[in-house]
Amino acid sequence: MSEDTRTGITDAARSFGITPEDYMLPARDLIQMVDPEGRLRGTGPSPEPGHDYPVPADEDLLEAYRRLVVGRRINDQNSALVRQGRMAVYPSSHGQEACQVAVAACLEEGDWLFPTYRDTVAVISRGVPPVEAMTVFRGDWHGGYDPGEHKVGIQSTPLTTQLLHAVGAAHAARLRGEDTVVVALCGDGATSEGDFHEALNFAAVFHLPVIFFVQNNQYAISVPLARQTVAPSLAHKAVGYGMAGERVDGNDLVALLAVLERGVRLVRGGAGPLLVEAQTYRIQAHTNADDATRYREDAEVQEWLAKDPVKRMRAYLTDRGLLADELQARFEQEAEEVAAELRDGLNQDVTPDPQDLFAHVFTVPTPQLTEQSAQLSEELAREEAS
């Protein structure tokens, strides 16, 4: 363990009055602040030292819930657009929206987010225009948005590569002396990949400001978690790399905000990288090309439907008197406006420029690319003339 890493962990542990070992290990019980019925948990065992979290401010809870309502509508609208043939594929995060909303809410303007292909709600919550965020799923134009402008990596299908990109961005930021936190999103399946090991090991050794946020939705496509690992939890993997881990209810937006807000603060303050596992569930199929009934029972899905993050948060805010009917209606209206924006934008046919095949490959085109581009121009001209 590097001296920076050891010092960062020791300082963080001292701030909570616990040992470095207790700081690095996740809490024995899943961090949950609001139960599935929307009640704030006030009974049960006392939180372990260093694993007790304050309830976020009311305005932060309402803003996060607004994003949650919009996020659910985004998922439903995009699934409909796939059925209409306006997108080739869509990996829905229906049921996981609380994870994505929370992580976007906890980052500052200069921080970076590196999403997976399933994290459209996080990308849009981070400020990427909805139609630009969905452009990649219709197979058009280089991912659809400028990563540098929004501080959001491009969504891509290759599993776990975004973790390496995140670590590289964090390393560059540290070398430049920037006050930047990087959050890398992944699923439980990604923890079985070699890139996961390489990213976590590099981040820990070089003491980088990265949070690895694992959305454990119980399945790597069709492979259940029990066939991927026998570790007590995915969060327990952190200690093997010399970083802290925490495990949180991924359908509890209040707990997610609390854990991630503190995590960002610790990482920014020099505590080193952090691994957070959110236990959640993918309600819909892996993608529209997947038949989830082949590998899981409907009773399991129904069990998780009862833990729905949107209904849970609405019940909690309503019970506290923070969410009136008028405010709920305003959030739903905003969600419908985003859905309409997606419909209008993705219903417009795009005429591709074949020359785009050769653009943005190299800063200075190679002789081969220049030759191929010229050949294509000649063929297109002949076709048009005939």
Side-chain angles (χ1 to χ4, degrees):
M1 183 181 297
S2 69
E3 188 61 34
D4 284 345
T5 299
R6 184 181 297 106
T7 301
I9 290 174
T10 300
D11 289 346
R14 186 180 295 119
S15 70
F16 298 117
I18 58 178
T19 66
E21 291 76 15
D22 286 338
Y23 169 73
M24 294 172 69
L25 286 170
R28 286 188 295 271
D29 298 313
L30 189 70
I31 301 297
Q32 184 187 83
M33 302 178 73
V34 174
D35 67 19
E37 286 70 42
R39 298 185 298 256
L40 188 66
R41 296 188 62 183
T43 59
S46 300
E48 301 167 53
H51 299 281
D52 49 337
Y53 295 87
V55 176
D58 291 348
E59 57 269 24
D60 294 338
L61 297 178
L62 282 171
E63 172 59 19
Y65 176 69
R66 180 189 68 80
R67 298 187 188 193
L68 190 63
V69 172
V70 173
R72 174 60 54 86
R73 188 66 184 91
I74 288 170
N75 270 324
D76 293 346
Q77 181 61 74
N78 284 337
S79 296
L81 287 167
V82 170
R83 293 192 295 271
Q84 295 165 11
R86 286 299 173 180
M87 287 191 294
V89 66
Y90 181 63
S92 174
S93 61
H94 187 114
Q96 299 179 216
E97 296 96 342
C99 295
Q100 303 188 21
V101 163
V103 75
C106 293
L107 294 176
E108 295 184 2
E109 184 177 351
D111 296 334
W112 271 86
L113 177 71
F114 285 84
T116 74
Y117 51 81
R118 197 178 302 281
D119 296 321
T120 297
V121 172
V123 171
I124 295 175
S125 294
R126 183 71 173 136
V128 176
V131 175
E132 291 185 17
M134 298 315 305
T135 295
V136 68
F137 293 102
R138 68 190 299 181
D140 179 43
W141 191 242
H142 295 282
Y145 58 88
D146 181 357
E149 177 185 355
H150 301 286
K151 301 294 189 294
V152 178
I154 291 294
Q155 294 179 262
S156 58
T157 301
L159 196 62
T160 326
T161 55
Q162 73 279 1
L163 301 190
L164 299 174
H165 302 159
V167 169
H171 189 42
R174 189 181 185 200
L175 291 175
R176 290 193 294 260
E178 297 171 352
D179 183 24
T180 300
V181 170
V182 179
V183 175
L185 303 178
C186 68
D188 49 291
T191 66
S192 300
E193 295 287 318
D195 285 354
F196 178 83
H197 159 76
E198 293 161 3
L200 268 69
N201 193 58
F202 192 99
V205 169
F206 287 89
H207 196 66
L208 300 179
V210 185
I211 295 178
F212 299 96
F213 186 42
V214 182
Q215 296 175 80
N216 176 8
N217 65 15
Q218 314 304 315
Y219 288 92
I221 307 183
S222 61
V223 181
L225 185 65
R227 299 296 299 271
Q228 300 180 62
T229 181
V230 292
S233 75
L234 296 176
H236 278 81
K237 292 178 179 286
V239 67
Y241 294 98
M243 67 178 71
E246 190 63 287
R247 192 165 53 108
V248 59
D249 183 342
N251 287 20
D252 178 358
L253 183 55
V254 177
L256 284 163
L257 288 170
V259 169
L260 289 170
E261 284 176 355
R262 192 176 85 175
V264 168
R265 186 171 65 253
L266 286 169
V267 170
R268 198 185 307 279
L274 175 68
L275 173 63
V276 176
E277 175 194 358
Q279 291 202 11
T280 183
Y281 196 78
R282 168 172 54 79
I283 295 296
Q284 297 177 348
H286 177 71
T287 68
N288 51 293
D290 172 44
D291 181 6
T293 63
R294 299 181 62 183
Y295 54 84
R296 66 185 190 187
E297 300 293 332
D298 184 63
E300 179 180 291
V301 179
Q302 294 301 317
E303 177 185 345
W304 279 91
L305 280 171
K307 305 174 184 178
D308 182 78
V310 180
K311 294 179 180 177
R312 182 189 304 197
M313 194 62 178
R314 180 174 182 175
Y316 170 70
L317 293 173
T318 301
D319 184 63
R320 287 198 53 204
L322 297 174
L323 184 66
D325 291 342
E326 295 81 2
L327 189 56
Q328 175 69 29
R330 190 194 312 166
F331 292 165
E332 292 176 356
Q333 177 60 34
E334 180 182 348
E336 289 303 322
E337 290 171 359
V338 172
E341 182 180 350
L342 284 167
R343 289 194 301 272
D344 293 343
L346 295 174
N347 279 332
Q348 296 178 14
D349 291 327
V350 177
T351 302
D353 181 356
Q355 286 293 345
D356 284 344
L357 286 168
F358 310 104
H360 312 294
V361 180
F362 293 101
T363 302
V364 178
T366 64
Q368 293 86 351
L369 283 177
T370 302
E371 180 183 357
Q372 292 167 12
S373 176
Q375 288 175 349
L376 178 60
S377 294
E378 293 173 2
E379 291 177 13
L380 292 173
R382 286 195 300 269
E383 182 178 310
E384 183 176 355
S386 64

